[in-house]
Amino acid sequence: MSLSATTAPPSNVTPPGSEPPRRRGHLLNRLDLKYSPYLYIAPFFLIFGIFGLYPMLRTAWMSLHDWDMIGDNSFIGLDNYVALVKDDYFWNALFNTFGIFALSTIPQLLLALFLANLLNSTLLRAKTFFRLAIFIPNVVSVAAVAIVFGMLFQREFGLINWLLSFVGVDNIDWDGQRWSSWTAIATMVNWRWVGYNTLILLAGMQAIPKDLYEAASIDGAGPWRQFWQITVPMVRPTLIFVVILSTIGGMQLFTEPLLFANGSILGGNQREFQTLAMYMYEKGIENLNTAGYGAAVAWAIFLIIALMSLLNFLLVRRSAK
Amino acid sequence: MSLTTRRTRLAAAALAAVTAVGGLAACGSDDDSNSGEGGKPAKLVVDTFGEMGYDELVKQYEQQSGIKIELRKTAQLGEYRPKLVRYLATGRGAADVTALEEGILNEFKANPRNWVDLAPLIDDHSKEYLPWKWELGKAPDGRLIGLPTDVGSLAVCYRKDLFQAAGLPTERDQVSALWPDWNGFHAAGKKYKDATGKAFIDSITAVSNGVLFQQGSDLFYDKENNIIADSSPAVKAAWDTATSMSDISAKAATWSPEWSGGFKQGTFAATFCPSWMLGIVADNSGEANKGKWDVAAVPGGGGNWGGSWLAVPEQSAHQKEAAKLAEFLTNATSQVEAFKLKGPLPTNLEALKNEAFLSYTNEYFSDAPTGKIFGESVAKIEPVHLGPKHQAVKENALEPALRSFENGQANKDKAWEQFVKDAAIQGAF
């Protein structure tokens, strides 16, 4: 992920009229001018076609079938989608996904915004060190994070319960209830992604002209007021980007809840924290003979993400006007 | 000047595109570097889960055959199965020799063409194994897809030191005598709990497994593979016995961190040990607890929890050699070796009579004569009929419902409702 992608203004736009003078009509030259740009961008589209588009279309095709992963399949039209709408466990997974998403995204973005503002401060020394340090959790593998946090949130020997026991709280069975399991999972997500979002927002903040702050200072605005009235409005485009990225990540949440459930795809004894992605895996891969149904869940997730991103976009754009 | 640069550019662009495509094509092609001289494979891959005790055997076979063998171990069946499914669904990646557990064997037997028929590739061994075990390795169409490895004859592993502290007998025959049946077991557990205030067994799902697998009848499916989970007497017996024991349970779900940590910490004093579990108990308890564990009989007589077969996937490039390797790993001598190393119980009749097996004592478990204990119980095993989605119903319907009850998330009726609903979903095929 290149940070400059979001912030750097398009540079080196060729000024008009600087095109090289036409040479004596060599065929090769004309071909070159016309087609080589397509060749330059071809690798991306080829790779996207093979690893992005094809699996999507294939999944759509599978979702119209009664498909056995290691056996036969037969065409059944939209039956899988009809069944999906009536499926309690699908709605349960959707509810859980949104719950964990809300618990992780909102505090995470607020925290990231404040941290980015701190790192952007002119008073801070050793900036590079802190900027690097804050990104470190993101480099740690998800599996390792989930395993470590899983241990912290254990019922019997977990560190968190041990600490809570000093303030008189009884052992909490973290994976036994909705609120506690959601909190535990959201904690892992937050720990891992706060730094990442901080850096993106920081990049956005660096693009804000310094004279705005200077002018505000002269007018007597304190740091708090500058933050809310200059920084936040100015990083709004970056914020949209970060919100959409978080939405996509949140809707696809899989590894953390799976490892938190000791690898059980159900996500708790009563599916208290089974996410959509886990449900897709359960139907699509665990249950062999319902792979078509799993594909339908996958497409449902895709549609939900598309819808959520659109909604975010509209909301943030509207408030910007 | 500008002409040449442009040509170079065009060439470079073309080259870039070609490399991209070529690179992808290279990813897609099969690498046949696996073949050694004379058609003999340079390497064979073996996939196992849990502890099957093949570490030494594989080295032996490498020396005698000159074929390199890669042993890929997965700790849990729950992790192992999805990988296997992926290999079969995509047609690549599977090991040449693949272990299949009895809980998942049936769903893989439903599509037998994924597996090689071993009968023509190896000698006839049909009379050398427990007859029912041998039969289960065959697909409905008669193809021999699995060679028997182990059975999971049941026993109880218990902590002598903790029993002593609670005033219970510690000597294994006296301990076995404490619980001729499940009521006796429950009574012993209550006594332990009264004396120490601590839990006696790891979880009630362990109890339900114990009861379920000693029924010797249809479990979740009838013989025609219709799901009968809600009316099956075997399931009902397991349910009732298990739920009655929640007062002596440590509520540590099998394979959870609470469970594996519990062995070291002594949060429970007894658990159910199919033979293959001995290695896992020892690993979890660690060197410090060596000699504190012992093995006693299971309440209510024998029972069989787990056990596997070795199969060769159709996609293996070296089916013949793989079949030979599977034949070697399951022969009498190998089964005794594996048992000594990690505890999986032989299914080969000769191995079961082998002096080295019968006289084997397990140092970790206070020198318990595990060869004799488990060897005798093999005869008592009554084969159970496991339907196509047995493992899914057990793991994703029965056990979560029991745990809901055990953890107080649902009362007994609600938990049973949960089980019946999930069994219907998970068991559909």
Side-chain angles (χ1 to χ4, degrees):
Chain A
M1 176 78 227
S2 141
L3 295 178
S4 61
T6 57
T7 50
S11 55
N12 299 332
V13 178
T14 322
S18 73
E19 224 173 289
R22 257 177 184 281
R23 303 261 165 187
R24 274 156 285 153
H26 278 301
L27 182 65
L28 260 177
N29 278 357
R30 273 190 293 132
L31 282 180
D32 179 12
L33 269 182
K34 259 191 167 165
Y35 297 111
S36 53
Y38 293 101
L39 275 176
Y40 292 137
I41 57 166
F44 167 76
F45 284 94
L46 272 172
I47 289 168
F48 172 74
I50 294 166
F51 294 107
L53 195 62
Y54 171 71
M56 273 174 72
L57 296 177
R58 168 94 174 168
T59 309
W61 174 243
M62 269 175 85
S63 73
L64 303 176
H65 288 75
D66 182 5
W67 194 293
D68 186 336
M69 200 69 151
I70 54 171
D72 304 313
N73 59 69
S74 59
F75 189 81
I76 52 165
L78 292 174
D79 285 8
N80 279 330
Y81 291 94
V82 175
L84 194 65
V85 177
K86 295 185 203 147
D87 183 352
D88 295 349
Y89 288 157
F90 171 72
W91 295 111
N92 172 62
L94 187 68
F95 177 63
N96 291 341
T97 309
F98 274 101
I100 299 171
F101 168 69
L103 274 185
S104 51
T105 308
I106 298 167
Q108 184 187 136
L109 291 187
L110 288 178
L111 195 60
L113 203 57
F114 279 102
L115 285 175
N117 195 47
L118 287 182
L119 287 177
N120 197 30
S121 156
T122 42
L123 302 172
L124 192 71
R125 280 165 188 277
K127 273 188 192 158
T128 319
F129 169 76
F130 286 112
R131 285 172 189 176
L132 275 175
I134 207 164
F135 190 67
I136 282 177
N138 199 258
V139 185
V140 180
S141 110
V142 209
V145 174
I147 289 168
V148 170
F149 275 77
M151 285 158 99
L152 295 180
F153 282 105
Q154 260 187 57
R155 188 189 63 214
E156 300 286 339
F157 319 115
L159 184 69
I160 311 257
N161 274 348
W162 181 70
L163 290 176
L164 284 175
S165 70
F166 290 116
V167 287
V169 180
D170 280 342
N171 271 2
I172 295 172
D173 191 4
W174 287 99
D175 54 9
Q177 277 156 319
R178 272 220 157 84
W179 72 267
S180 53
S181 56
W182 288 6
T183 312
I185 294 164
T187 313
M188 299 180 208
V189 178
N190 286 340
W191 184 80
R192 203 165 120 78
W193 290 99
V194 163
Y196 176 84
N197 287 322
T198 304
L199 282 198
I200 295 183
L201 287 170
L202 177 64
M205 285 177 190
Q206 304 245 296
I208 303 172
K210 292 278 172 288
D211 35 352
L212 280 178
Y213 292 105
E214 280 161 22
S217 298
I218 292 166
D219 290 346
W224 187 247
R225 182 131 185 217
Q226 288 184 16
F227 174 69
W228 283 112
Q229 304 213 311
I230 302 174
T231 313
V232 173
M234 293 294 279
V235 293
R236 188 164 270 136
T238 320
L239 213 50
I240 304 178
F241 176 75
V242 168
V243 166
I244 289 178
L245 270 193
S246 301
T247 312
I248 296 173
M251 292 295 112
Q252 295 179 336
L253 199 63
F254 180 74
T255 316
E256 289 94 340
L258 181 68
L259 289 175
F260 186 63
N262 291 319
S264 154
I265 201 70
L266 300 184
N269 297 328
Q270 301 185 322
R271 300 173 185 257
E272 304 91 32
F273 52 95
Q274 185 179 42
T275 60
L276 278 176
M278 287 167 86
Y279 193 58
M280 170 185 81
Y281 189 88
E282 181 192 344
K283 289 294 175 186
I285 297 182
E286 270 249 318
N287 294 4
L288 290 190
N289 53 333
T290 52
Y293 193 76
V297 179
W299 263 85
I301 298 177
F302 175 75
L303 292 178
I304 291 165
I305 292 178
L307 217 71
M308 292 268 298
S309 301
L310 191 71
L311 202 73
N312 278 329
F313 181 71
L314 291 177
L315 274 177
V316 184
R317 197 180 61 165
R318 197 150 167 217
S319 62
K321 271 182 186 167
Chain B
M1 177 65 206
S2 139
L3 186 72
T4 44
T5 28
R6 234 188 255 162
R7 270 211 187 124
T8 334
R9 237 173 36 183
L10 184 69
L15 192 70
V18 168
T19 341
V21 178
L24 291 172
C27 291
S29 79
D30 244 340
D31 73 315
D32 277 343
S33 56
N34 197 11
S35 301
E37 3 171 332
K40 211 162 102 180
K43 189 176 88 172
L44 287 172
V45 183
V46 181
D47 253 348
T48 66
F49 52 85
E51 269 302 351
M52 301 190 67
Y54 289 160
D55 312 59
E56 297 302 322
L57 289 168
V58 159
K59 279 181 210 148
Q60 270 180 37
Y61 195 75
E62 272 185 344
Q63 280 178 354
Q64 77 181 60
S65 69
I67 302 174
K68 202 173 152 10
I69 293 168
E70 185 190 343
L71 183 59
R72 296 194 299 205
K73 291 200 217 175
T74 305
Q76 297 174 27
L77 187 61
E79 246 170 86
Y80 177 81
R81 183 180 160 280
K83 280 197 261 183
L84 180 54
V85 167
R86 197 170 68 228
Y87 301 148
L88 294 179
T90 56
R92 53 190 300 123
D96 298 289
V97 176
T98 301
L100 292 178
E101 206 264 350
E102 66 172 6
I104 60 172
L105 176 73
N106 278 303
E107 63 185 341
F108 289 114
K109 279 208 294 200
N111 294 297
R113 58 170 185 224
N114 287 317
W115 307 97
V116 174
D117 184 2
L118 298 171
L121 301 178
I122 55 170
D123 302 333
D124 180 19
H125 298 291
S126 57
K127 300 283 175 287
E128 297 165 22
Y129 293 86
L130 296 169
W132 60 269
K133 181 85 184 178
W134 180 265
E135 282 308 309
L136 280 174
K138 288 185 184 165
D141 62 0
R143 290 148 56 99
L144 177 68
I145 61 173
L147 293 179
T149 59
D150 60 317
V151 280
S153 185
L154 274 176
V156 173
C157 289
Y158 68 97
R159 279 278 292 267
K160 282 195 304 186
D161 55 330
L162 298 179
F163 269 45
Q164 187 164 26
L168 292 170
T170 56
E171 206 269 315
R172 65 183 73 89
D173 290 332
Q174 290 173 341
V175 170
S176 303
L178 269 182
W179 48 66
D181 56 13
W182 290 95
N183 286 333
F185 185 77
H186 196 183
K190 274 194 202 150
K191 223 184 215 170
Y192 177 86
K193 180 147 195 200
D194 288 343
T196 60
K198 289 197 293 186
F200 182 61
I201 47 163
D202 46 350
S203 68
I204 66 171
T205 49
V207 176
S208 105
N209 266 322
V211 182
L212 202 58
F213 288 116
Q214 61 181 207
Q215 299 298 312
S217 61
D218 298 339
L219 302 184
F220 302 121
Y221 291 86
D222 65 14
K223 297 276 184 298
E224 281 76 48
N225 282 339
N226 301 307
I227 182 127
I228 51 158
D230 54 337
S231 60
S232 159
V235 174
K236 193 81 180 91
W239 180 270
D240 288 339
T241 313
T243 48
S244 76
M245 303 233 184
S246 61
D247 57 335
I248 54 166
S249 158
K251 304 176 177 28
T254 312
W255 310 118
S256 72
E258 282 85 6
W259 184 74
S260 26
F263 284 98
K264 261 203 188 81
Q265 312 276 347
T267 46
F268 44 84
T271 186
F272 297 91
C273 285
S275 176
W276 51 263
M277 189 75 98
L278 294 182
I280 293 160
V281 172
D283 286 349
N284 280 333
S285 308
E287 219 25 59
N289 288 316
K290 188 171 176 177
K292 291 185 186 163
W293 286 94
D294 207 329
V295 183
V298 74
N304 177 40
W305 173 3
S308 306
W309 287 260
L310 290 186
V312 177
E314 195 66 55
Q315 57 179 272
S316 162
H318 313 286
Q319 300 180 354
K320 172 114 184 126
E321 287 80 2
K324 288 276 176 219
L325 172 60
E327 189 181 25
F328 167 80
L329 288 173
T330 52
N331 74 24
T333 336
S334 299
Q335 289 200 347
V336 174
E337 289 297 313
F339 173 78
K340 287 204 262 186
L341 193 62
K342 291 290 180 184
L345 188 61
T347 48
N348 184 298
L349 298 173
E350 201 188 310
L352 284 166
K353 276 182 259 160
N354 183 303
E355 197 43 46
F357 166 71
L358 286 173
S359 63
Y360 178 76
T361 55
N362 193 319
E363 204 189 335
Y364 192 90
F365 289 83
S366 316
D367 288 322
T370 47
K372 193 162 157 285
I373 296 176
F374 286 108
E376 279 173 3
S377 67
V378 169
K380 292 189 204 148
I381 293 177
E382 296 196 40
V384 287
H385 169 71
L386 306 180
K389 304 277 265 175
H390 167 83
Q391 196 69 15
V393 177
K394 182 170 99 71
E395 280 183 1
N396 293 346
L398 181 63
E399 292 181 353
L402 281 171
R403 283 185 203 123
S404 291
F405 168 74
E406 186 178 36
N407 295 343
Q409 291 168 275
N411 65 28
K412 215 167 160 177
D413 294 338
K414 275 267 173 286
W416 177 257
E417 262 173 50
Q418 182 188 335
F419 163 63
V420 172
K421 180 184 177 190
D422 286 341
I425 297 173
Q426 299 289 341
F429 200 73

